[in-house]
Amino acid sequence: MNRIVMTNAQGPTSPHRLTILGSTGSIGTNTVDVIRQLGGRDRFEVMALTGASNIDLLAQQARDLGVKLAVTSQEDKYAALKDALAGTGIAVASGQSGLDEAASMDADWVMAAIAGTPGLEPTLAAARRGANIALANKECLVSAGDVFLRAVAEGGGQLIPVDSEHSAIFQCLEPHNRKAIERIVLTASGGPFRTHSREQMAGVTADVARAHPNWSMGLKVSIGSASMFNKALEMIEAKYLFDLSPDQIEVIVHPQSIIHSMVAYTDGSVIAQLGCPDMRTAIAYALTYPARGDIEVERLDFARLARLDFEAPDEVRFPALRLARTALQRGGAQGAVLNAADEAAYHAFVDGQIGFLDMADIVETVMDRMNDGRTAQTIEDVLAADAQARTYARETILNKQKAA
Ligand code: NAD
Ligand code: MG
């Protein structure tokens, strides 16, 4: 089945009315820049913005875009946001109910760019009411793929990937040749530790791990690129978006991050999407689909580039890839388990409680402990698996700290 809802012959209208969930983050600020480049308030009516602690930026964006509603996810920041927007006529809300209100506003497009599992419920709410979703928040699919796709199908909106690899695959897909797809090839930069030994990785700090060679991204994605847990999440994301079996999902290390991913067909053809590593291209594609916008990002200069390199991924140094394959094969709630355990382990690493390599150990321990055939067919299943995985991850983290 074609999981992505394709448009009719005329295509959808431009996303005139848009809400950005997570406007103050890396994807969010790039989205605001793309909106400005594509014509700003003349072309887009931005209905609602949401952020967390960066109130100054959120208020600034709300004023510049003339939105109707600005939301901080943090209840204790409500007063500061209210003050910052006093006299503007912009409504202010906070907390989970504020996020739900933003998701429910009558915008025909929603950019889902909240980081991590907190993005799940508001994005689901937007999908259920039939909004078209530009999906950056991969956790929605990793954790709740079946629930989320059902919500999109029932709501009747479109789902367009923003993650650069999935945008690339989406751009390389020939809708009339879906059955002729042999496999997809997700490219991975290999991150800052591509050539490190496990011994070298054992002692790295979060500050070192966050320095990505090619892409500028939020902290979680940057750390996930160093551990390759980001690629692990993307393998599961691809399964749901493109309805693939585990053996149709290949990962190749491509240090320059110029090929963003590829689709291989049964006749031996491989179609690739290339570009400079800049998320604004994928964001613009989602916001203008099926047309293409005209935006200022660096253009590829092939002569200067001279070469593109590829390496087989090393699943011993980067166990995250092996764990993703295991989660894909086991199915059920293992995606939700991998995602929740990875988030818990990531926080513990960033807080200096565990080492870099401990993250994969923790995820594997929790996945094995929860390999009990549980399913993820309802949001309740997903939230229960998520909560249990976090509890087990905390136990495993404590045991590691005691042993250290
Ligand atoms: P970020 O950390 O830079 O920004 C996250 C946004 O979510 C901010 O607006 C923040 O205020 C908000 N937020 C944080 N915690 C929240 C909470 N508890 N409740 C509500 N809102 C909260 O993250 P990012 O790098 O922009 O990534 C956003 C999403 O896009 C992630 O799912 C990530 O995997 C995905 N993604 C990012 C990139 C990238 O280049 N940054 C690329 C592909 C996919
Ligand atoms: Mg990506």
Side-chain angles (χ1 to χ4, degrees):
M1 186 179 67
N2 176 4
R3 297 284 199 175
I4 289 189
V5 184
M6 290 291 180
T7 49
N8 58 27
Q10 290 95 37
T13 52
S14 293
H16 292 298
R17 277 175 309 159
L18 176 74
T19 278
I20 309 173
L21 303 173
S23 66
T24 55
S26 167
I27 294 288
T29 51
N30 275 313
T31 301
V32 171
D33 183 65
V34 168
I35 288 172
R36 179 188 59 77
Q37 291 204 44
L38 290 174
R41 289 169 72 167
D42 292 340
R43 180 153 171 201
F44 294 94
E45 186 183 355
V46 182
M47 306 291 283
L49 297 179
T50 82
S53 59
N54 192 344
I55 298 302
D56 290 346
L57 177 59
L58 180 60
Q60 179 73 47
Q61 290 176 329
R63 260 191 246 104
D64 291 349
L65 293 166
V67 307
K68 302 211 167 2
L69 172 69
V71 176
T72 164
S73 61
Q74 300 182 351
E75 308 267 10
D76 60 350
K77 295 279 192 302
Y78 174 82
L81 184 59
K82 187 92 188 149
D83 279 355
L85 291 173
T88 60
I90 298 170
V92 170
S94 69
Q96 191 61 48
S97 60
L99 293 176
D100 289 343
E101 196 182 332
S104 308
M105 281 192 81
D106 189 22
D108 35 27
W109 279 82
V110 171
M111 167 58 76
I114 291 175
T117 309
L120 177 58
E121 291 193 51
T123 310
L124 258 179
R128 282 201 190 101
R129 71 165 176 80
N132 299 311
I133 310 284
L135 188 72
N137 180 289
K138 59 194 88 185
E139 294 83 359
C140 283
L141 285 174
V142 177
S143 180
D146 288 323
V147 177
F148 186 70
L149 290 178
R150 219 182 304 128
V152 171
E154 285 168 12
Q158 302 184 86
L159 176 60
I160 310 288
V162 171
D163 211 348
S164 58
E165 295 77 0
H166 306 75
S167 171
I169 292 163
F170 185 55
Q171 294 182 53
C172 297
L173 279 181
E174 299 170 347
H176 53 289
N177 280 325
R178 307 261 334 173
K179 287 203 173 70
I181 296 172
E182 197 167 68
R183 66 192 204 284
I184 61 149
V185 185
L186 291 172
T187 53
S189 68
F193 307 142
R194 180 173 59 88
T195 58
H196 277 43
S197 65
R198 276 184 71 80
E199 291 67 34
Q200 285 172 304
M201 282 190 263
V204 299
T205 61
D207 270 344
V208 177
R210 73 178 300 177
H212 196 277
N214 304 335
W215 297 91
S216 154
M217 308 178 289
L219 184 59
K220 170 74 166 41
V221 203
S222 300
I223 302 287
S225 298
S227 63
M228 294 194 83
F229 264 107
N230 184 51
K231 208 52 55 183
L233 299 181
E234 291 179 354
M235 291 164 72
I236 303 174
E237 180 185 13
K239 168 210 144 86
Y240 284 107
L241 276 173
F242 307 115
D243 196 21
L244 301 166
S245 61
D247 59 0
Q248 285 180 298
I249 303 170
E250 182 180 328
V251 173
I252 187 85
V253 175
H254 164 44
Q256 293 95 348
S257 300
I258 297 297
I259 297 181
H260 297 148
S261 280
M262 307 178 250
V263 178
Y265 289 94
T266 46
D267 61 0
S269 262
V270 179
I271 316 253
Q273 186 264 343
L274 288 73
C276 289
D278 187 325
M279 285 307 296
R280 290 176 298 182
T281 297
I283 293 168
Y285 187 74
L287 295 186
T288 58
Y289 177 80
R292 285 184 186 271
D294 181 350
I295 60 163
E296 274 180 42
V297 290
E298 195 186 338
R299 273 22 182 189
L300 274 184
D301 177 341
F302 285 97
R304 212 180 71 201
L305 200 59
R307 54 186 280 179
L308 298 175
D309 295 305
F310 304 96
E311 297 163 11
D314 180 345
E315 297 194 358
V316 176
R317 286 184 305 128
F318 297 100
L321 301 176
R322 174 174 58 76
L323 295 176
R325 220 166 278 293
T326 303
L328 286 168
Q329 272 147 5
R330 289 179 182 167
Q334 285 274 301
V337 171
L338 180 149
N339 176 63
D342 171 49
E343 272 189 16
Y346 152 79
H347 284 296
F349 170 64
V350 170
D351 293 344
Q353 295 165 11
I354 55 168
F356 185 77
L357 297 176
D358 291 331
M359 288 191 286
D361 282 356
I362 289 161
V363 174
E364 184 160 22
T365 303
V366 177
M367 280 175 62
D368 287 347
R369 207 165 156 190
M370 293 181 67
N371 182 24
D372 50 11
R374 70 179 72 212
T375 57
Q377 285 306 310
T378 65
I379 190 68
E380 291 76 22
D381 294 342
V382 171
L383 296 177
D386 180 283
Q388 183 69 76
R390 282 171 209 270
T391 303
Y392 286 162
R394 273 192 296 275
E395 278 177 34
T396 317
I397 290 163
L398 281 176
N399 290 339
K400 284 218 174 258
Q401 287 180 295
K402 276 187 214 139

